[in-house]
Amino acid sequence: MIDRSKVWTGTLNELALADQPKRKAGFYDTTLRDGEQAVGVVFEPEQKLEIAKIVDGLGVGRIEAGFPRVSEDDREAIRAIAQAGLNAEIWGFARAMIPDVEAVAELDLKYCVIEAPISDQKLSALGVSRETVLERIRNAVRLGAESGIHVAYFGVDSTRADLDFFETVYKTALEAGAKELAIVDTLAIACPEAVTYLVKRVKSWAGDVPVHFHGHNDFGLGTACAIAAINAGAEWIHGTIDGIGERAGNANIPEIALALELLYGIDTGIDLTRVRSASERLRDVAGYELEPWKAVVGQNLFIRETGAVAAQFHLPHAIEPYSSELLDTPRGIRLGKKSGAASITIKANDLGLEVAEDKVPVLLEEVKKLAISKRGLVTDDEFTAIVQRHA
């Protein structure tokens, strides 16, 4: 549980949400399948097992281990993950094709997403009719159910599908034995209000059937849409660590969890103290970088350069919406062009340097000049040298 004394978001959210029902949010991690679809990313089987263990350690409820028909490496990784004794449910992924479902069954997986495209744009591109895709869904889901697999039907590009056909498809999947339904915003074209509309529409005829939302981030709305889905009644959010994925990436699980926990007061079960180390390790394995101002995991999240902010640094709640302790990461001051007198004093204290008060303006001037000349920050060694010259 979050220590609310370390959350400094005021009371506005509570007032705005007072009449809304308290929701639950579960996370379905697809870093190993949809995340690996990021350009140039290839995970080896042992790396997939490591990532699965890291994701499991975050408290994610479901992990999509992969798509077994992709390669022998993927089958090996899925098998190892399924046998690793993780707390999360281990899910497979299959297209609505008999060999795909058989491959999942051969690995003794108990849970599987079965996908098929349902928008006219996708069907046209693939040269598949509505009648054909319905038959494929019916046969694949039925085989999964008969094989003892708990199936969630996943309608690719469902946010662009004709709504009457959408309903026909999902009801067909339920009749064939699907236990859960995944709404899929494949190209991230749904605004949060559209997600709310679609989730509520599905819940109106699906009843108690659990609903997933699988979103992407092409318009920068991945987190907002995921939250809209939860508030509309969806039980499961698909996403990845750091939002890794193709194009603009997937919905970002740690980012969504932080917002749900701190802004909406919804318990997600995610251990926020582990998300930054999880992100760092995934970056090492996948070979990508993040912008330093990235929410939740950015390196500058609790680092300050601006002098006006540094003057308030001793009161974290004045300059930060929540404590750095919630993410198990330190705070700090960096010196540069935008530093102020308080920055000099704080940095000197951090480094154990004695600086007389009358020396602060001189040191600040030198710091600013050096930062401007190098067009960057002043390092601790450089600052120490400046102090020593004026000792």
Side-chain angles (χ1 to χ4, degrees), residues 94-137:
R95 295 167 298 181
M97 296 182 177
I98 298 303
D100 283 19
V101 179
E102 289 174 339
V104 171
E106 286 168 5
L107 289 168
D108 292 325
L109 292 177
K110 302 303 180 187
Y111 306 93
C112 183
V113 155
I114 294 179
E115 65 133 38
I118 63 172
S119 70
D120 289 334
Q121 295 95 323
K122 289 287 188 183
L123 293 175
S124 175
L126 296 170
V128 176
S129 69
R130 288 184 174 186
E131 292 73 20
T132 297
V133 81
L134 281 172
E135 188 64 19
R136 289 178 180 177
I137 292 165

Side-chain angles (χ1 to χ4, degrees), residues 13-163:
N13 292 323
E14 293 177 14
L15 291 171
L17 299 169
D19 295 331
Q20 292 194 18
K22 205 70 166 180
R23 301 294 188 181
K24 293 182 179 180
F27 286 103
Y28 176 109
D29 183 274
T30 182
T31 300
L32 300 176
R33 198 269 307 170
D34 216 349
E36 193 184 26
Q37 290 181 200
V39 174
V41 173
V42 177
F43 296 136
E44 297 177 359
E46 59 269 22
Q47 291 173 328
K48 286 198 171 189
L49 177 58
E50 180 188 1
I51 293 167
K53 289 179 178 179
I54 289 172
V55 171
D56 190 59
L58 292 179
V60 168
R62 295 174 169 181
I63 296 173
E64 190 175 270
F67 181 11
R69 290 202 71 206
V70 167
S71 69
E72 183 55 42
D73 274 359
D74 283 85
R75 284 190 289 276
E76 178 186 337
I78 295 167
R79 188 178 293 108
I81 292 167
Q83 295 174 354
L86 304 183
N87 292 317
E89 293 176 359
I90 306 304
W91 285 62
F93 184 89
R95 295 167 298 181
M97 296 182 177
I98 298 303
D100 283 19
V101 179
E102 289 174 339
V104 171
E106 286 168 5
L107 289 168
D108 292 325
L109 292 177
K110 302 303 180 187
Y111 306 93
C112 183
V113 155
I114 294 179
E115 65 133 38
I118 63 172
S119 70
D120 289 334
Q121 295 95 323
K122 289 287 188 183
L123 293 175
S124 175
L126 296 170
V128 176
S129 69
R130 288 184 174 186
E131 292 73 20
T132 297
V133 81
L134 281 172
E135 188 64 19
R136 289 178 180 177
I137 292 165
R138 190 178 294 111
N139 292 338
V141 171
R142 182 182 296 122
L143 176 61
E146 290 173 351
S147 300
I149 297 171
H150 183 99
V151 173
Y153 172 68
F154 183 103
V156 176
D157 206 19
S158 53
T159 52
R160 291 199 298 171
D162 172 82
L163 288 177

Side-chain angles (χ1 to χ4, degrees), residues 333 335 340-351 353 355-357 360 363 383:
I333 290 290
L335 299 180
S343 309
I344 299 298
T345 301
I346 293 171
K347 177 58 73 173
N349 289 336
D350 287 347
L351 298 176
L353 302 172
V355 172
E357 188 173 344
V360 170
L363 298 177
F383 178 64

